[in-house]
Amino acid sequence: MANIINLLPDNIANQIAAGEVIQRPASAVKELLENAVDAGATEIQLIIRDAGKELVQVIDNGKGMSEADARMCFERHATSKIQTIEDLFQIRTMGFRGEALASIAAVSQVELKTRMRGTDIGTYIEIDNSAVRKQEPCQTAEGTSIAMKNLFFNVPARRNFLKSNAAEMRHIVDEFIRVAMAFPQIQFTLLNNTQQLFYLEKGSLKQRVIAILGQHYNSKLVSVKESTDYMDVHGFVGKPDAAKKTRGDQFFFVNNRFIKSPYLNHAIMTAFADMIPADSFPLYVVFIDLDPGHVDINVHPTKQEIKFDDEKVMYAFVQSAVKHALAQFNVMPTLNFELDPEIQHLDAVSQPFTAERQEQSATSSLYKTFTQANQAHVIDKSSSNLKHWKDLYDIGKSSDSYSREERDEDTLTQPLPAVGFESRSSTASVIDERWQDNTIDQKVPVQVHQQFILSQIKSGFILIDQQAAHERILYERYLRALQETPMPAQQSLFPQTLQLPPADAALISEMLPDLQVLGYDLEPFGNNTFVVRGTPADIQSGNEQASIEGLLEQFKHYSSELKVNKREQLVRSMARNNAIPSGKSLTTKEMQNIIDELFACAMPNAAPGGKYTYISFKLTDLAKMFGG
């Protein structure tokens, strides 16, 4: 029988291996930036064209490579980081496997220029599909410049699976931010199609965090710093009012390497327990430094999933460090001991304490109780206040029109449901004031606690959740706009300029065509800035910026939680963001409009997220509740 197992050619083996390391342009960005950091660079520049499909270039001023090293670095498993198996457990560099450059060369066309410090001539290498096409001396600056061109040109199937330019650019920005955040002592620059997105100067960690996340976080950061013999924790967490609906602004670094750890994230979430809403997520940039022997980073090709030798210790220490930071900076909830101003108007404070009053107070039993020894626990049996203590249990005996015995008899024969009113008389007055105009008989909707709408129907009544109902109305309205007729934009009297973080700017650029169909008149203005000329008609004038920022937060929330297409996420986000919130008072006309539009919807019984929009109560069920 013929043999059927064969060795794959090197170029095919390299392409298969590249699938684990280089999944998209952002993967190459991560590897090239980390190599530049390992080279000891103090200035790193990232240049992107066509969202990385045409060009990803990283230029650094690191130590550079010799001619032999420049050729060798593209071989598989060629690395300067480890020599023996024991070195795997003492790794402090970003890269160590020696697979990144080989994988990049297998799926793109690479140009490398490098010159070691102290030498006069550099090396230039061209590689195409893992094959060296040219190698020659060249003039170049100290350091290394490596350009990856035409990604996946020889693997068209994989290139077809890449997302839109805006989506791929968001991934590139994410990887850039993670590396730049970890090394504030290095200057980073990001250019996208000749436009500068980031220029991050050298500085402190706080300066780097603010430069990346935004100036508005300057007053919302709380410093975290704890040290032990086992590990050190430092960084920043956001104050509770900086919490968002998405996890975007959350960074964990172990030995300066970005990681994803739901376990440690839970530790910080529990530290913020009862301080932020259950559906919100705190901001944090937390660095953990410990002996590399206590952590295994060789778990996943991206090195973002790692294992600790004692996860419980890590959990407890991170949680404790964050709690201590919040308490130290007076962010934890505290009891309010401020003096009530009304106390100042009491007679005991405002009127003089005359000699006559002092004598009267000194003869009182209360004064003796507190001033004489062993008297604090003694009860004065002669006190008239305690003689008729049994009368305290005769509830309303003198004020009711019938006796307690009669009331007990009625209670036994006719049990009452548990109702949340204080007393019978107060209930009657509330009912008289609320319903004296017979609003239910007139079928006029009534707002309950500025959250629900009560309306009579033939079989009883319905209770409508005003926010969920309006969310369903807007959802179907926006969906029709995308599928049928675009919504007109309400032009602003004075256009507003909207400055966004680079990641959000890339996200808005991706959604721009659909946003324009939904009534947003937005125009890119360069440098992560947009001009807002108009918004949908249901957005109040002057609230344009808050509306767009809220829309972005909702979109990122749905992107992380839901597996639906981008248009569906956008429509749900807009509906949720623009819906009438609970707690807003509505006029009778506004309530009636919600009712009419809700039951004109194709699916009126549930909001897009699945929450009920209304609950009906039948007359027969109500009669049973009252024993009828």
Side-chain angles (χ1 to χ4, degrees):
M1 184 176 179
N3 298 327
I4 61 174
I5 297 178
N6 301 308
L7 287 175
L8 289 174
D10 288 343
N11 62 329
I12 297 178
N14 286 342
Q15 288 182 10
I16 294 173
E20 297 182 359
V21 180
I22 310 301
Q23 301 172 350
R24 59 189 346 142
S27 306
V29 167
K30 172 182 179 296
E31 301 294 343
L32 295 178
L33 288 177
E34 290 181 348
N35 280 350
V37 170
D38 288 340
T42 58
E43 297 178 4
I44 300 175
Q45 185 177 29
L46 172 62
I47 301 174
I48 302 295
R49 284 192 208 142
D50 193 23
K53 300 171 187 175
E54 179 183 341
L55 174 69
V56 172
Q57 184 176 9
V58 173
I59 304 172
D60 68 69
N61 65 345
K63 57 188 178 183
M65 291 181 284
S66 66
E67 181 180 356
D69 287 343
R71 179 72 175 257
M72 181 64 70
C73 70
F74 291 101
E75 299 295 330
R76 289 190 65 192
H77 308 301
T79 178
S80 62
K81 314 298 173 55
I82 60 175
Q83 301 295 330
T84 65
I85 191 64
E86 289 76 16
D87 293 338
L88 278 174
F89 303 100
Q90 295 298 324
I91 293 172
R92 288 195 176 273
T93 56
M94 296 295 100
F96 58 89
R97 294 197 189 104
E99 290 183 320
L101 292 181
S103 298
I104 290 173
V107 291
S108 66
Q109 298 166 332
V110 178
E111 291 183 3
L112 171 69
K113 292 181 180 180
T114 183
R115 178 162 72 94
M116 292 184 67
R117 294 172 185 168
T119 60
D120 297 328
I121 300 296
T123 302
Y124 172 79
I125 294 179
E126 278 187 16
I127 295 182
D128 188 343
N129 195 15
S130 297
V132 177
R133 302 300 183 190
K134 183 188 292 187
Q135 178 175 349
E136 61 186 18
C138 73
Q139 283 290 346
T140 184
E142 288 186 352
T144 301
S145 169
I146 181 166
M148 180 189 75
K149 299 180 179 180
N150 300 323
L151 181 64
F152 299 140
F153 78 99
N154 54 348
V155 194
R158 192 178 301 168
R159 188 180 179 93
N160 291 337
F161 277 96
L162 295 178
K163 305 298 183 182
S164 65
N165 281 5
E168 294 298 338
M169 195 60 207
R170 279 196 297 119
H171 289 289
I172 290 173
V173 169
D174 286 343
E175 295 294 349
F176 176 85
I177 286 175
R178 290 165 183 172
V179 177
M181 189 84 77
F183 300 94
Q185 72 278 12
I186 300 176
Q187 174 186 302
F188 285 89
T189 309
L190 171 57
L191 296 175
N192 177 36
N193 296 330
T194 71
Q195 178 185 352
Q196 183 173 286
L197 296 185
F198 281 100
Y199 177 72
L200 305 174
E201 295 182 344
K202 306 172 188 177
S204 65
L205 176 59
K206 185 173 184 179
Q207 290 172 330
R208 181 58 54 90
V209 171
I210 293 171
I212 291 176
L213 300 184
Q215 188 64 35
H216 59 284
Y217 283 120
N218 190 19
S219 60
K220 297 182 178 181
L221 297 178
V222 176
S223 177
V224 178
K225 190 171 181 61
E226 297 288 343
S227 298
T228 66
D229 294 337
Y230 181 76
M231 60 182 287
D232 296 335
V233 175
H234 70 279
F236 296 94
V237 295
K239 294 180 179 179
D241 60 350
K244 292 186 176 182
K245 298 291 184 183
T246 58
R247 301 178 184 269
D249 298 334
Q250 295 184 337
F251 301 87
F252 262 123
F253 299 91
V254 173
N255 295 340
N256 284 342
R257 185 189 304 278
F258 174 80
I259 67 163
K260 295 179 180 179
S261 174
Y263 190 65
L264 294 183
N265 175 75
H266 187 269
I268 292 185
M269 292 295 293
T270 53
F272 275 88
D274 301 326
M275 299 178 64
I276 60 176
D279 59 345
S280 296
F281 303 94
L283 174 153
Y284 60 78
V285 181
V286 175
F287 289 77
I288 300 173
D289 296 326
L290 76 166
D291 187 336
H294 295 303
V295 59
D296 181 7
I297 60 177
N298 196 24
V299 176
H300 192 271
T302 64
K303 310 185 202 81
Q304 292 183 359
E305 298 177 14
I306 63 176
K307 294 291 184 182
F308 300 101
D309 60 355
D310 194 335
E311 291 188 335
K312 292 183 179 179
V313 169
M314 301 292 297
Y315 184 100
F317 195 79
V318 169
Q319 182 189 54
S320 175
V322 174
K323 278 188 174 182
H324 183 251
L326 294 174
Q328 184 178 3
F329 287 88
N330 298 321
V331 179
M332 296 288 282
T334 57
L335 293 176
N336 184 9
F337 292 102
E338 293 183 2
L339 185 64
D340 188 344
E342 295 183 359
I343 294 178
Q344 302 292 338
H345 301 291
L346 297 177
D347 292 343
V349 177
S350 60
Q351 296 184 6
F353 194 41
T354 62
E356 181 181 355
R357 290 190 175 186
Q358 291 180 24
E359 185 178 350
Q360 292 176 354
S361 298
T363 58
S364 68
S365 59
L366 182 62
Y367 179 84
K368 294 176 181 178
T369 300
F370 279 94
T371 55
Q372 297 178 8
N374 303 320
Q375 294 296 311
H377 64 284
V378 176
I379 298 177
D380 186 3
K381 296 181 180 180
S382 62
S383 174
S384 60
N385 293 333
L386 299 177
K387 288 181 179 179
H388 306 291
W389 63 270
K390 291 183 179 180
D391 293 342
L392 296 173
Y393 294 92
D394 293 337
I395 302 174
K397 188 172 183 178
S398 59
S399 59
D400 288 347
S401 59
Y402 56 99
S403 67
R404 179 178 178 183
E405 289 77 10
E406 291 171 333
R407 181 165 60 252
D408 290 343
E409 184 177 353
D410 290 344
T411 303
L412 290 174
T413 57
Q414 182 62 52
L416 295 174
V419 196
F421 294 108
E422 289 80 0
S423 65
R424 179 173 171 269
S425 58
S426 65
T427 301
S429 63
V430 170
I431 291 177
D432 290 343
E433 292 174 6
R434 183 75 57 84
W435 308 116
Q436 59 184 353
D437 58 351
N438 271 338
T439 52
I440 287 218
D441 290 341
Q442 298 172 7
K443 298 185 180 180
V444 176
V446 177
Q447 192 176 22
V448 181
H449 292 292
Q450 296 183 339
Q451 184 175 359
F452 302 101
I453 300 172
L454 187 148
S455 179
Q456 179 178 324
I457 57 177
K458 290 182 180 180
S459 60
F461 71 89
I462 58 173
L463 201 60
I464 301 172
D465 185 319
Q466 66 186 41
Q467 181 173 358
H470 197 220
E471 191 176 337
R472 163 53 63 177
I473 294 167
L474 294 178
Y475 172 79
E476 296 201 4
R477 185 184 302 170
Y478 297 148
L479 207 58
R480 285 194 301 272
L482 286 177
Q483 296 172 349
E484 301 170 8
T485 307
M487 296 178 62
Q490 177 179 271
Q491 296 299 314
S492 303
L493 186 60
F494 300 103
Q496 292 191 5
T497 301
L498 181 62
Q499 180 76 31
L500 295 173
D504 287 348
L507 183 58
I508 281 286
S509 299
E510 181 183 359
M511 299 188 298
L512 201 55
D514 289 335
L515 285 174
Q516 290 170 344
V517 173
L518 293 169
Y520 282 96
D521 188 356
L522 292 174
E523 181 181 342
F525 200 59
N527 198 22
N528 305 321
T529 304
F530 295 83
V531 176
V532 185
R533 304 186 185 279
T535 55
D538 51 3
I539 295 177
Q540 294 181 357
S541 178
N543 199 34
E544 294 86 353
Q545 180 169 345
S547 169
I548 294 174
E549 290 176 347
L551 169 62
L552 282 169
E553 285 303 309
Q554 286 294 340
F555 185 86
K556 288 186 284 188
H557 169 68
Y558 283 129
S559 296
S560 61
E561 299 294 333
L562 299 176
K563 301 301 181 184
V564 295
N565 61 54
K566 298 292 184 182
R567 278 197 162 193
E568 176 72 12
Q569 292 175 15
L570 177 58
V571 171
R572 290 193 184 193
S573 301
M574 282 191 61
R576 183 63 181 269
N577 187 58
N578 298 335
I580 295 172
S582 297
K584 181 178 180 181
S585 181
L586 302 176
T587 64
T588 301
K589 184 178 180 180
E590 289 172 334
M591 289 186 284
Q592 191 61 54
N593 286 341
I594 288 178
I595 295 172
D596 294 342
E597 291 187 50
L598 175 64
F599 289 100
C601 291
M603 190 181 295
N605 60 318
K611 181 180 179 181
Y612 287 124
T613 56
Y614 68 90
I615 299 176
S616 61
F617 296 82
K618 295 183 179 180
L619 286 174
T620 53
D621 295 334
L622 292 172
K624 291 179 181 178
M625 292 181 186
F626 287 94

